Amino acid sequence: MYLLKVGSVFLLLLAIKHSLGSPTFSIDYKTDCFRKDGEVFRYISGSIHYSRIPRVYWKDRLLKMYMAGLNAIQTYIPWNYHEESPGRYSFSGDRDLEHFLQLAKDIGLLVILRPGPYICAEWDMGGLPAWLLKKEDIILRSSDPDYIAAVDKWMGKLLPMMKPFLYQNGGPIITVQVENEYGSYFACDYNYLRHLSKQFRSHLGDDVVLFTTDGAAVGYLKCGSLQGLYATVDFGAGGNVTAAFDAQRQAEPHGPLVNSEFYTGWLDHWGSHHSVVPTALVAKSLNEILAMGANVNLYMFIGGTNFGYWNGANSPYGPQPTSYDYDAPLTEAGDLTEKYFAIRDVIKFYRKIPDGPIPPTTPKYAYGTVVLKKLQTVSDALENLSFSGPVTSMYPQTFIELNQAFGFVLYRTALPFDCSKPTPLSSPLNGVHDRAYVSVDGVAVGILERNKVLTINVTGKAGSQLDILVENMGRINYGKYINDFKGLVSNMTLGTDTLCGWTMYSLSIDEAISEGLLSETTPTQEPQQEPQPAALSLPTFYQGSFIIPDGIPDLPQDTYIKLPEWRKGQVWINSINVGRYWPSRGPQVTLFVPANILSTAAPNNVTVLELEEAPCSSGSCSVEFISAPVLNATVQFDHKQYRRLFNKEDLL
Ligand SMILES: *[C@@H]1O[C@H](CO)[C@@H](O)[C@H](O)[C@H]1NC(C)=O
Ligand SMILES: *[C@@H]1O[C@H](CO)[C@@H](O)[C@H](O)[C@H]1NC(C)=O
Ligand SMILES: *[C@@H]1O[C@H](CO)[C@@H](O)[C@H](O)[C@H]1NC(C)=O
Ligand SMILES: *[C@@H]1O[C@H](CO)[C@@H](O)[C@H](O)[C@H]1NC(C)=O
Ligand SMILES: *[C@@H]1O[C@H](CO)[C@@H](O)[C@H](O)[C@H]1NC(C)=O
Ligand SMILES: *[C@@H]1O[C@H](CO)[C@@H](O)[C@H](O)[C@H]1NC(C)=O
């Protein structure tokens, strides 16, 4: 009344705002829960990584998550995605994190933010930029001053950007994770965690809830938790939920129960079976978690795609494929699955599900067969692929010494003596990181592979040109060996001699493709026919195009590219690097091609770099665009494969 008498609408609004109070989000240690604006609050969240989904699809995926009954999402921020070289930040297009957060807010989803700096995530080097390795003996994820200096600079850029998005400031972010599963890392450096904790506080303020996440066992929580950071756990379906939360209770006797990563599926590796976690198991464990009143984040709710070169690897070296489908409730392409509806049915017991239609699965289109023609080999195109020109040195240099993070480097030297008999070319210290395509005088002679093939035989005359094209297949993202240097990281030997006198070409293949610098082979450039080992060719580019048909509504639509009988390589569609293919090893056979990179206005260009042998000599130099993915065709199964299954296995 008094306010109305004064007649000031402004004061009235102020009064209303004050009576509602400003937004708050906090931990209640008395009643073991979160409180949002003073009210008891429990989140049911799902993981979505914006870096694995084209921007145009963010809204569709978030809406589907909202319609499943989630009230929050969780996302990682990959540092190396936003700062590919020191001080050069990228936050636009598919990297527009602020837009992503705003969309979540507009849809009605809260956000659990995981800014790292280390994120694991089956992402190259766990999100750490490869340029940190410029200091060769850097101890990542520790108080190493060079590491800390880089982290502080990055956080000084990132966290002030995030501050307006905090719940207290009217945004969607309710909690912020510090580091990631730090208790699983050997360093156990509390000063590092303390430093991060201070950094986060100084940028974000005292009100924000900061937390840590570790495997659900006392051993992991020991080095992973720190006073002032709320300790949460992660564990998968099928285990003993009570026992898992007991581990959290050892670190946090009071406060909300939180499973920060409840695994809906699992990751894949090249050469392993496709991971599948049964829907019934996921539904049962989710129900148990929710029945205990616990907070949960479903990891992943949608996995998405490791486009380009972004996949990580586990140790002993086992790289992950392009697809990060994860057997999640929404597929790599955002399709609704049986698991989606089962999870939604469980959530219904605990929360009102929003009314209204669920956005449908986006239609897929089979554009059919596209014939490719052969372009140049990598060595033919060298002058157009090597933007920075060759570097010479006595002994081989690594990718980072050559200022290259991803892709391929060509190492060239000459045979120092006649090898008339087969002579072993070897990497005695297992220093081919990660796979090398070897040729002598323009003839492919073999493949070296980290941990698997350390020696091949070569023949040739003294002075013959030895080319070793080395592929970086993704940096280790978990454990002790994340300082994963690429290229030839130790000396090569021929017989008993150490090879020296190298010329190295950093290859800017992505740039060369987008600038249209590749041309067709001229017959004179073909090497003379010499006997070659079982169907192996020089690494070679192929290209073709297809037109999207007229008169069919709603094209372009998403599709999947399949490369029948192609062996291993990389694919670009309209110069967008859609990822690696390796159907000869599996389990992934098709690559997701989102509609947004296709065009109806011009022919769509398909460029393939085949590293081993294209099926063209046998006539079918073609690829296919089909309407359904194949992610589970394991051709070669490696039983000793890498297991980062601590939390799932421990509890199964
Ligand atoms: C689960 O763990 C709890 C606590 O450790 C234990 O009391 C219970 O017997 C376990 N349940 C099963 C089915 O093993
Ligand atoms: C290389 O050739 C030698 C002699 O022919 C043979 O004994 C050896 O097994 C070969 N090594 C490889 C790796 O092929
Ligand atoms: C290669 O061998 C030389 C001579 O033994 C040595 O000085 C150099 O450090 C080695 N380089 C690498 C990368 O191992
Ligand atoms: C490099 O690209 C230019 C422009 O397309 C072309 O004229 C030239 O022949 C290319 N060089 C090689 C070695 O392919
Ligand atoms: C495909 O390449 C041709 C020839 O370079 C170009 O004209 C066309 O625009 C490209 N298509 C797309 C969709 O970029
Ligand atoms: C692969 O997945 C498809 C579709 O889910 C299924 O029909 C097929 O049986 C699976 N194949 C293998 C080898 O598991």
Side-chain angles (χ1 to χ4, degrees):
M1 278 322 240
Y2 166 75
L3 285 168
L4 286 175
K5 237 191 276 176
V6 172
S8 161
V9 174
F10 177 66
L11 276 183
L12 177 65
L13 287 175
L14 264 188
I16 288 169
K17 183 155 190 268
H18 185 75
S19 75
L20 293 173
S22 49
T24 59
F25 194 88
S26 60
I27 291 174
D28 182 342
Y29 290 94
K30 287 210 189 76
T31 53
D32 297 338
C33 64
F34 287 116
R35 282 192 185 269
K36 183 165 145 296
D37 302 324
E39 302 288 321
V40 172
F41 176 80
R42 177 251 286 276
Y43 66 70
I44 304 175
S45 161
S47 280
I48 169 172
H49 300 156
Y50 60 93
S51 55
R52 288 183 158 124
I53 299 170
R55 175 191 175 111
V56 291
Y57 283 133
W58 289 349
K59 193 173 175 186
D60 173 76
R61 310 308 189 243
L62 290 168
L63 256 176
K64 285 170 177 160
M65 294 174 83
Y66 179 76
M67 293 308 297
L70 304 180
N71 55 8
I73 58 155
Q74 189 203 60
T75 197
Y76 276 133
I77 301 174
W79 178 5
N80 54 6
Y81 193 59
H82 294 288
E83 192 180 359
E84 285 202 67
S85 57
R88 286 186 48 207
Y89 301 107
S90 170
F91 284 101
S92 60
D94 286 344
R95 301 173 201 218
D96 191 346
L97 171 58
E98 288 170 294
H99 177 65
F100 179 78
L101 295 173
Q102 190 59 47
L103 275 177
K105 187 189 171 192
D106 294 347
I107 285 168
L109 289 162
L110 297 163
V111 173
I112 297 153
L113 197 70
R114 311 174 95 188
Y118 165 84
I119 60 168
C120 191
E122 288 75 65
W123 188 262
D124 187 79
M125 211 168 144
L128 298 175
W131 49 259
L132 290 169
L133 300 175
K134 285 226 169 228
K135 182 192 176 191
E136 222 175 286
D137 58 354
I138 194 165
I139 304 173
L140 301 168
R141 307 178 68 194
S142 81
S143 304
D144 183 312
D146 294 284
Y147 175 71
I148 291 290
V151 167
D152 287 356
K153 230 179 125 216
W154 164 237
M155 289 301 166
K157 169 79 184 171
L158 175 68
L159 296 179
M161 269 174 78
M162 296 297 96
K163 193 172 182 185
F165 290 92
L166 294 178
Y167 188 75
Q168 292 81 345
N169 302 331
I173 300 171
I174 48 172
T175 61
V176 179
Q177 183 179 312
V178 178
E179 245 281 347
N180 187 60
E181 291 182 340
Y182 191 62
S184 304
Y185 192 55
F186 74 94
C188 196
D189 180 345
Y190 292 112
N191 287 332
Y192 165 54
L193 270 195
R194 246 185 301 267
H195 177 84
L196 285 182
S197 169
K198 263 198 241 152
Q199 274 279 338
F200 278 48
R201 283 265 168 252
S202 76
H203 288 299
L204 300 176
D206 290 334
D207 293 338
V208 62
V209 173
L210 299 180
F211 72 102
T212 56
T213 300
D214 280 286
V218 174
Y220 296 120
L221 287 153
K222 182 171 164 285
C223 293
S225 55
L226 186 77
Q227 204 173 8
L229 305 177
Y230 190 70
T232 74
V233 291
D234 51 25
F235 58 88
N240 184 330
V241 173
T242 314
F245 281 130
D246 281 353
Q248 189 197 354
R249 277 284 172 251
Q250 300 280 324
E252 297 290 355
H254 294 287
L257 295 176
V258 182
N259 182 351
S260 289
E261 291 187 5
F262 170 63
Y263 305 110
T264 60
W266 198 248
L267 54 136
D268 282 349
H269 297 98
W270 290 119
S272 270
H273 287 309
H274 177 53
S275 301
V276 174
V277 175
T279 293
L281 207 60
V282 172
K284 179 173 175 285
S285 293
L286 177 62
N287 188 40
E288 283 171 33
I289 290 169
L290 295 179
M292 289 176 75
N295 297 265
V296 66
N297 171 67
L298 292 98
Y299 187 102
M300 297 297 298
F301 204 87
I302 171 167
T305 310
N306 298 309
F307 291 110
Y309 307 111
W310 286 113
N311 68 278
N314 273 307
S315 179
Y317 190 72
Q320 295 124 15
T322 300
S323 172
Y324 196 61
D325 178 87
Y326 214 84
D327 194 31
L330 294 171
T331 69
E332 172 178 19
D335 295 359
L336 304 167
T337 65
E338 173 206 35
K339 198 176 273 180
Y340 175 93
F341 290 102
I343 286 171
R344 188 167 174 266
D345 286 344
V346 173
I347 295 174
K348 263 186 202 164
F349 293 131
Y350 300 93
R351 246 197 118 228
K352 192 182 167 321
I353 300 279
D355 294 323
I358 300 170
T361 287
T362 49
K364 311 293 185 292
Y365 195 80
Y367 299 97
T369 300
V370 176
V371 174
L372 304 190
K373 62 177 186 242
K374 189 173 176 182
L375 303 183
Q376 295 161 297
T377 64
V378 167
S379 22
D380 287 344
L382 206 50
E383 95 188 27
N384 278 339
L385 294 175
S386 174
F387 283 26
S388 50
V391 170
T392 57
S393 76
M394 187 67 99
Y395 302 109
Q397 297 184 355
T398 64
F399 272 45
I400 286 304
E401 288 172 296
L402 296 166
N403 286 311
Q404 181 166 347
F406 298 108
F408 301 83
V409 169
L410 180 69
Y411 292 79
R412 176 171 284 175
T413 187
L415 297 185
F417 52 82
D418 276 333
C419 303
S420 46
K421 292 209 192 89
T423 308
L425 170 72
S426 199
S427 176
L429 299 178
N430 194 12
V432 172
H433 288 191
D434 304 298
R435 209 156 186 271
Y437 308 88
V438 182
S439 63
V440 176
D441 280 341
V443 178
V445 296
I447 297 169
L448 295 164
E449 188 175 337
R450 183 172 179 179
N451 292 356
K452 289 197 163 76
V453 183
L454 308 192
T455 303
I456 56 170
N457 280 330
V458 301
T459 54
K461 296 199 173 63
S464 289
Q465 178 176 290
L466 173 68
D467 275 3
I468 305 182
L469 180 71
V470 181
E471 176 186 11
N472 165 0
M473 294 202 294
R475 288 187 185 77
I476 292 174
N477 61 265
Y478 176 78
K480 213 172 174 165
Y481 302 105
I482 52 176
N483 299 44
D484 192 5
F485 293 88
K486 295 303 184 184
L488 296 182
V489 307
S490 61
N491 284 310
M492 298 291 301
T493 56
L494 185 67
T496 54
D497 287 19
T498 294
L499 286 171
C500 46
W502 293 91
T503 304
M504 292 156 290
Y505 299 85
S506 271
L507 303 184
S508 305
I509 295 177
D510 292 73
E511 293 78 356
I513 289 172
S514 67
E515 292 174 25
L517 295 179
L518 299 173
S519 40
E520 275 187 72
T521 339
T522 50
T524 52
Q525 287 172 301
E526 291 277 7
Q528 64 276 38
Q529 283 307 306
E530 281 185 34
Q532 296 193 359
L536 204 57
S537 295
L538 293 175
T540 303
F541 293 99
Y542 295 82
Q543 204 162 59
S545 64
F546 66 98
I547 291 170
I548 291 182
D550 271 342
I552 299 171
D554 303 327
L555 291 187
Q557 289 171 356
D558 295 345
T559 185
Y560 299 91
I561 184 172
K562 187 177 181 193
L563 298 101
E565 292 172 69
W566 295 70
R567 295 256 288 267
K568 186 183 196 308
Q570 201 84 28
V571 182
W572 293 260
I573 311 266
N574 294 328
S575 305
I576 306 288
N577 188 337
V578 297
R580 307 169 202 270
Y581 66 90
W582 202 357
S584 60
R585 195 161 289 184
Q588 181 175 8
V589 169
T590 58
L591 293 173
F592 177 51
V593 179
N596 61 290
I597 67 171
L598 300 177
S599 171
T600 48
N604 292 281
N605 301 308
V606 182
T607 310
V608 171
L609 170 57
E610 168 60 48
L611 298 161
E612 298 184 6
E613 170 74 7
C616 303
S617 50
S618 60
S620 61
C621 197
S622 61
V623 298
E624 285 167 29
F625 287 91
I626 60 176
S627 58
V630 180
L631 300 176
N632 60 353
T634 309
V635 176
Q636 231 181 60
F637 184 57
D638 186 342
H639 288 274
K640 296 194 307 284
Q641 286 284 25
Y642 8 90
R643 296 160 79 81
R644 187 222 133 181
L645 297 181
F646 59 85
N647 17 44
K648 197 165 129 190
E649 291 290 278
D650 284 355
L651 294 164
L652 272 176

